[in-house]
Amino acid sequence: MDTLKNKVVLVVGGGSGIGLGIGVAFAREGCRVVLSARTASSLEAAKKLPEVGARLLTKTCDAANRGQLAELVTWVEANAGPIDVLVYAAGVNIPKRTFAEIDPAEFDRVMATNATGAFNSIHAVLPGMRSRKAGRIFNVVSLGGVRVLQLAGLPYTASKFGQAAIGTFANLETLADGVSVTNVHPGETETPLVDKRPVPPSAEQRARMLKPEDIAALVVAVAKLPPRATVPEIVITPRHMPLN
């Protein structure tokens, strides 16, 4: 898939942050991009972006809802075509994220979006990709899915380890079918998610973080690789938090 023009790309969690950045990058490559998100307002804002906004297709969907996700995939195939690339970038976190203060219902909510949502999305697109013997899936996880980070919190790291396992298993299972799954593990990235920290970062801290376009450039580069190449996982971090 070294040329991306007219490829159909579905970005689940594409209303803001990393998902939106990746969607915009694929649109600039000439892809037919569909963004989905839970909130209609974020998708409406995306369609107003300069250069690419008018070409984006959008549809609301809660990735944790298996029925909605199946309906989304059917809608994309009817309105854009068979899905060549899936990007799962939906993710949530909460301010109260330790054993001492967490509401167990909030733990379930984070797990449902970050881990179960990834399963629902991958499960929904795999039959079509397998039948065509082609497809790339980008599972946007986190550095918190590689290392347990107190900063990220209990539910987030637990869900991200689960999400990473889902992507790794899918890659091992489907490589022989022509499908490749890449787990993408970004470190601190300036997105709306960092506002959910118990203490939101300062402007100085935000300036040191990755930007969504950094992760997007990496994803597009992998998507351009020939089908013989698979990249099981990538870690990308800002300079102040190298993986060690």
Side-chain angles (χ1 to χ4, degrees):
M1 199 182 289
D2 52 349
T3 177
L4 298 177
K5 188 173 178 60
N6 292 324
K7 297 296 183 182
V8 176
V9 179
L10 169 60
V11 184
V12 179
S16 63
I18 293 172
L20 178 59
I22 293 173
V24 168
F26 274 117
R28 287 174 176 159
E29 294 289 332
C31 298
R32 288 176 283 174
V33 176
V34 181
L35 304 180
S36 82
R38 287 181 300 173
T39 55
S41 58
S42 66
L43 297 176
E44 290 166 4
K47 289 187 70 68
K48 296 176 183 178
L49 291 172
E51 184 188 345
V52 300
R55 293 190 277 119
L56 298 171
L57 293 177
T58 61
K59 185 170 175 59
T60 57
C61 176
D62 181 354
N65 185 313
R66 196 159 295 145
Q68 286 187 26
L69 207 293
E71 290 174 5
L72 171 65
V73 170
T74 299
W75 185 89
V76 172
E77 291 174 343
N79 289 273
I83 298 167
D84 299 297
V85 177
L86 167 70
V87 178
Y88 188 77
V92 296
N93 205 350
I94 54 176
K96 295 182 178 180
R97 53 184 68 172
T98 65
F99 272 109
E101 59 184 357
I102 194 169
D103 176 351
E106 288 287 88
F107 178 91
D108 293 343
R109 183 172 71 88
V110 174
M111 291 293 293
T113 296
N114 297 356
T116 304
F119 166 80
N120 291 343
S121 301
I122 295 171
H123 185 261
V125 303
L126 275 182
M129 289 183 173
R130 281 174 144 165
S131 69
R132 295 185 298 274
K133 299 292 183 183
R136 284 198 185 270
I137 296 172
F138 293 94
N139 186 32
V140 181
V141 191
S142 169
L143 195 60
V146 180
R147 298 283 188 272
V148 175
L149 305 174
Q150 284 189 293
L151 176 65
L154 166 65
Y156 190 81
T157 52
S159 66
K160 288 298 180 176
F161 268 77
Q163 183 185 348
I166 289 165
T168 298
F169 194 96
N171 189 53
L172 293 173
E173 181 180 331
T174 61
L175 280 174
D177 299 321
V179 182
S180 179
V181 184
T182 300
N183 283 342
V184 183
H185 296 285
E188 280 190 313
T189 307
E190 189 183 15
T191 72
L193 199 62
V194 300
D195 295 325
K196 297 295 184 181
R197 290 181 179 177
V199 179
S202 66
E204 182 181 2
Q205 290 173 314
R206 290 172 189 266
R208 301 169 64 202
M209 296 180 183
L210 296 172
K211 308 300 180 193
E213 54 265 32
D214 302 332
I215 293 93
L218 197 60
V219 167
V220 168
V222 173
K224 288 183 175 181
L225 291 172
R228 64 177 176 271
T230 181
V231 181
E233 62 180 357
I234 300 175
V235 174
I236 174 172
T237 70
R239 294 179 68 87
H240 67 274
M241 58 182 311
L243 184 64
N244 54 33

